[in-house]
Amino acid sequence: MTTSPSRPSSVVLGAGLMGRLLAWQLARAGHAVTVYEAGGADAQGSPARIAAAMLAPLAESAVTEPSVVEMGRYALTRWPELLAQLSQPVFFQQDGTLIVWHRQDAADAQRFARLLQANQEKVPALPKMQALDATGMAEYEPALGNRFTQGLYLPGEGQLDNRQLLAALLHELQTLKVDLHWNSPRAPQDFAPGTAGQPDWVFDCRGLGAQAQWPQLRGIRGEVARIHAPEVTLRRPTRMVHPRYSIYIAPKQDHVFVIGATEIESNDLSPPSVRSTLELLSAAYAVHSGFAEARILEIASQCRPTLPDNLPAIRQLGPRSLQINGMYRHGFMISPALLDAVLELVHEQRTTLANSLDLHLETVPT
Ligand SMILES: Cc1cc2nc3c(=O)[nH]c(=O)nc-3n(C[C@H](O)[C@H](O)[C@H](O)COP(=O)(O)OP(=O)(O)OC[C@H]3O[C@@H](n4cnc5c(N)ncnc54)[C@H](O)[C@@H]3O)c2cc1C
């Protein structure tokens, strides 16, 4: 971890989603990288491990700003390139998102459709949403065709397997001889980048673990179920519009489904509540009765690292000390954009990409 004119050195704090991605790309670019992670290599302490990892810019436009939607669009082209650089396979699918609702919730669904329509006009490059009738439903999702006679199809949206990704990134870090320190919490002030015997760069990717130095960060708790349902054959992430239980079901490989997720303003990391679990599972059963015979693999909770405006930010603590945080419920959808913006800043001292994506770049006053 010494400063060398020939080989720059970097310290990455946190080996969740952003930390692993950044450490990997810096090591590929020739940096000597050291990673400090508070937890273990299995990412148990990271929301990235329990996330559904959907890449759904138009669906998410209902709850976020056009800049995040643009970053999501960016990710849909960038993820395949990044995944192709990994030596282990990661499930990636780009078959669109399906949105369904029960007849009694048609008014809510209409409002939702109008909102997406308006958002689509703000980001015209997004593929056009399609309204599905009974025939369209039966064609796109035969498993649901007899239960839902209407739906919306959002082409081009995707998802990946978060656990395969975290494992594949770990494998790359090991192969590239990144210096990995597990169960080793650190803070940016433990380093003086650019001075003698210190790394050239420090990157703080600690998610909610950065709260002491970035007090505006807050947690938004999410609870999810992981289910094995051999009788269910959903092809793509499916969301249900509902006045109280707006769930999604993300089908991974081998009939594993991630069903989520609650959104509770809280830093509470205790296990999922009975109420949330009942709501998630009942709503999933209402989408497809095959979930009745499914087996529950896991019910988990985590908190999404979120800034006051619910938008991500890159913050400069010092000339060579960067914090990347606030990815809220969009980490997988926006991390490729954040990654490339940080790399551009480090390698080229430019902010062209960050500016074009309207990404917040802040400097902490000294
Ligand atoms: C239920 C749920 C569903 C989600 N679904 C989606 C989805 O469908 N699509 C999507 O795009 N996003 C989704 N997300 C969001 C996504 O998981 C997060 O945005 C993302 O994980 C944030 O990544 P991060 O690297 O900033 O932080 P994290 O993933 O939280 O990683 C931070 C890491 O830093 C470590 N750390 C903490 N303190 C220290 C310290 N002092 N020193 C060293 N290390 C430390 C932690 O242990 C952790 O490993 C979901 C999240 C949840 C909870």
Side-chain angles (χ1 to χ4, degrees):
M1 198 180 69
T2 49
T3 308
S4 137
S6 53
R7 192 175 184 210
S9 59
S10 288
V11 160
V12 176
L13 309 180
L17 174 61
M18 197 63 221
R20 282 182 201 219
L21 275 173
L22 191 54
W24 169 49
Q25 287 295 316
L26 289 167
R28 272 176 63 94
H31 283 225
V33 182
T34 306
V35 172
Y36 293 97
E37 161 59 46
D42 55 9
Q44 287 285 353
S46 162
R49 186 179 151 76
I50 72 155
M54 291 176 298
L55 313 168
L58 183 56
E60 286 297 310
S61 74
V63 294
T64 191
E65 301 289 322
S67 62
V68 169
V69 177
E70 275 294 1
M71 288 182 231
R73 209 170 68 77
Y74 182 91
L76 283 161
T77 347
R78 189 67 175 116
W79 270 122
E81 292 168 5
L82 289 167
L83 299 183
Q85 294 169 13
L86 295 168
S87 49
Q88 292 185 352
V90 174
F91 168 69
F92 173 85
Q93 184 196 52
Q94 206 176 345
D95 267 348
T97 301
L98 188 67
I99 301 190
V100 296
W101 55 88
H102 294 296
R103 196 164 298 152
Q104 64 271 26
D105 301 322
D108 285 309
Q110 271 173 17
R111 266 194 297 280
F112 185 75
R114 277 199 298 273
L115 180 59
L116 294 199
Q117 193 67 51
N119 293 339
Q120 181 140 47
E121 280 157 25
K122 291 182 202 155
V123 187
L126 284 173
K128 294 275 171 284
M129 172 176 83
Q130 298 166 21
L132 301 181
D133 57 12
T135 315
M137 278 299 299
E139 187 186 321
Y140 276 94
E141 205 58 89
L144 299 184
N146 57 357
R147 192 166 279 235
F148 297 96
T149 53
Q150 286 181 77
L152 294 172
Y153 177 59
L154 280 42
E157 301 204 324
Q159 63 160 338
L160 54 77
D161 188 304
N162 50 325
R163 294 191 178 178
Q164 288 175 6
L165 175 70
L166 291 170
L169 288 171
L170 175 62
H171 178 77
E172 297 303 317
L173 297 181
Q174 289 163 337
T175 307
L176 289 161
K177 304 271 183 283
V178 169
D179 190 13
L180 298 166
H181 298 261
W182 307 112
N183 305 305
S184 306
R186 295 285 188 282
Q189 61 267 31
D190 297 334
F191 304 90
T195 63
Q198 288 286 313
D200 295 314
W201 288 89
V202 173
F203 301 93
D204 180 1
C205 306
R206 292 174 299 155
L208 266 189
Q211 225 172 1
Q213 289 77 37
W214 201 337
Q216 294 86 351
L217 277 166
R218 71 192 202 279
I220 299 192
R221 177 179 158 96
E223 294 147 305
V224 286
R226 253 180 132 76
I227 303 282
H228 182 232
E231 290 180 24
V232 180
T233 52
L234 294 184
R235 292 173 177 172
R236 55 179 64 77
T238 300
R239 296 179 180 222
M240 187 169 72
V241 180
H242 191 279
R244 291 187 306 286
Y245 317 128
S246 293
I247 62 147
Y248 55 72
I249 303 170
K252 306 298 177 190
Q253 287 171 306
D254 304 323
H255 294 277
V256 170
F257 296 84
V258 177
I259 300 171
T262 52
E263 281 243 342
I264 302 162
E265 283 282 344
S266 171
N267 279 3
D268 175 8
L269 284 171
S270 65
S273 70
V274 169
R275 175 201 292 260
S276 299
T277 307
L278 286 171
E279 287 174 1
L280 287 176
L281 297 183
S282 314
Y285 174 65
V287 171
H288 194 301
S289 57
F291 282 116
E293 289 307 318
R295 295 295 181 263
I296 299 171
L297 302 177
E298 183 182 307
I299 301 190
S301 60
Q302 258 297 343
C303 290
R304 308 164 178 99
T306 310
L307 287 164
D309 55 7
N310 295 354
L311 298 175
I314 299 173
R315 205 166 78 143
Q316 195 142 20
L317 279 178
R320 286 165 172 262
S321 181
L322 294 177
Q323 295 183 293
I324 303 111
N325 219 316
M327 291 202 281
Y328 176 38
R329 55 186 274 163
H330 301 125
F332 291 86
M333 200 175 91
I334 62 178
S335 49
L338 285 154
L339 172 72
D340 288 351
V342 169
L343 293 174
E344 190 188 49
L345 200 59
V346 171
H347 298 318
E348 300 167 45
Q349 292 77 52
R350 286 196 293 125
T351 58
T352 316
L353 179 64
N355 296 341
S356 75
L357 292 168
D358 209 9
L359 187 51
H360 290 193
L361 286 171
E362 302 169 15
T363 307
V364 179
T366 43

